[in-house]
Amino acid sequence: MTSEQYSLEVEGLCAAYGGVPAINNVSLKVARGSVVTMIGANGAGKSTVIKCVCGLVKPTAGSVRLFGEEVTGLSPDRLVQRGLAVVPEGRRLFVDMSFKENLELGAYTIKDRAAIARNMERVLALFPDLKDRLSTLAGSFSGGQQQMVAVARALMSEPRIILLDEPTIGLSPAMVERIAELITEISRTGVDILVIEQNAEIALEISDRGYVLEGGSVIAEDDAKTLALSEDVQKAYLGT
Ligand code: ATP
């Protein structure tokens, strides 16, 4: 596979907080048209990988390539312009603003009002359960609905790849299923996805490929179905 066949290539990434290493030599790839997951326990370093990729944490070593181009160290804004969107842990919604205003803020890199309106229509088609609630304050939605608002907001910048940081955390089983369906639907629209999760079961179910992060390093990678059947993964992450 040539480089352009990957939307994201992370190679030998290291990062530290105040000199204390958080991730060490992490490499991963997202092939075009795929959903990839990185699973791992609390504190394994998953969020740090995402933060390095989206320009929020400066890696101490390693490189990040987006659609074949080196982007290590670019600012989050520049990365959005190159087709990357992130749904951060904890969603970071503007809770005192309406759903519609949150969507408009997601399109901040797009200046053409007509294009923003078209995007909103396209994005809302994925959220039939919310599309009639554009004037509702984001903070008054349920946890699961807020997660959907955060995903919808990220889609407003017309990303080609989206990074999701623990999208199912704290949600009811029904809502976890809904978010999982949504991820599959988004992938079918041609947006590649990297999802990091503590919920390994759902993450491996919806992904093509998976990586296991432990103590800041990748300890296993394989296609998601094979990983889900691995005895080590089952014992450590699937509670079986
Ligand atoms: P979680 O599921 O809790 O988000 P995670 O797998 O995403 O866990 P990270 O948040 O990347 O893990 O954390 C990796 C390591 O870096 C942990 O030891 C954590 O305590 C540490 N760490 C994360 N953020 C900071 C920070 N801002 N300052 C100092 N240490 C941090």
Side-chain angles (χ1 to χ4, degrees):
M1 254 192 193
T2 62
S3 216
E4 292 69 31
Q5 284 173 291
Y6 293 103
S7 36
L8 177 68
E9 293 161 277
V10 170
E11 190 72 50
L13 209 62
C14 301
Y17 297 102
V20 180
I23 55 168
N24 179 41
N25 198 26
V26 170
S27 298
L28 71 88
K29 288 180 179 183
V30 177
R32 301 290 294 273
S34 72
V35 179
V36 173
T37 188
M38 176 173 268
I39 58 173
N42 195 5
K46 306 181 299 300
S47 295
T48 303
V49 174
I50 294 265
K51 285 177 186 160
C52 287
V53 170
C54 74
L56 285 173
V57 165
K58 195 172 157 29
T60 50
S63 69
V64 179
R65 290 167 74 83
L66 202 57
F67 302 101
E69 285 181 29
E70 173 77 39
V71 296
T72 322
L74 284 192
S75 67
D77 275 11
R78 303 276 301 276
L79 291 166
V80 172
Q81 281 159 355
R82 285 168 183 249
L84 179 86
V86 182
V87 180
E89 192 173 7
R91 305 164 198 134
R92 310 267 164 77
L93 291 181
F94 298 97
V95 290
D96 297 328
M97 293 175 125
S98 68
F99 176 25
K100 184 171 187 215
E101 287 165 328
N102 272 274
L103 289 181
E104 286 166 347
L105 285 167
Y108 74 102
T109 51
I110 301 169
K111 299 295 168 235
D112 175 358
R113 300 296 308 172
I116 295 175
R118 274 197 305 277
N119 271 357
M120 199 172 289
E121 212 165 297
R122 181 181 53 80
V123 168
L124 286 172
L126 288 165
F127 300 87
D129 17 12
L130 293 184
K131 74 176 180 17
D132 297 325
R133 301 185 64 187
L134 279 171
S135 54
T136 303
L137 287 186
S140 63
F141 284 121
S142 72
Q145 289 169 333
Q146 288 192 24
Q147 187 63 49
M148 288 197 236
V149 172
V151 174
R153 183 181 59 182
L155 290 172
M156 284 297 292
S157 65
E158 299 183 330
R160 295 159 74 199
I161 179 169
I162 183 163
L163 314 183
L164 299 163
D165 192 341
E166 306 223 15
T168 71
I169 199 162
L171 303 185
S172 66
M175 209 33 116
V176 169
E177 281 300 327
R178 176 71 191 98
I179 296 288
E181 279 168 19
L182 185 58
I183 291 172
T184 304
E185 281 170 40
I186 292 169
S187 158
R188 288 199 186 117
T189 68
V191 180
D192 299 338
I193 297 177
L194 173 63
V195 54
I196 66 172
E197 261 299 339
Q198 283 188 46
N199 184 337
E201 191 178 350
I202 199 82
L204 292 172
E205 201 178 297
I206 59 172
S207 297
D208 300 296
R209 195 159 183 84
Y211 292 80
V212 182
L213 197 67
E214 221 173 86
S217 298
V218 174
I219 57 149
E221 68 171 281
D222 214 323
D223 73 71
K225 284 191 178 60
T226 308
L227 269 186
L229 293 172
S230 134
E231 211 172 296
D232 290 345
V233 169
Q234 291 196 349
K235 259 196 218 135
Y237 300 103
L238 297 174
T240 50

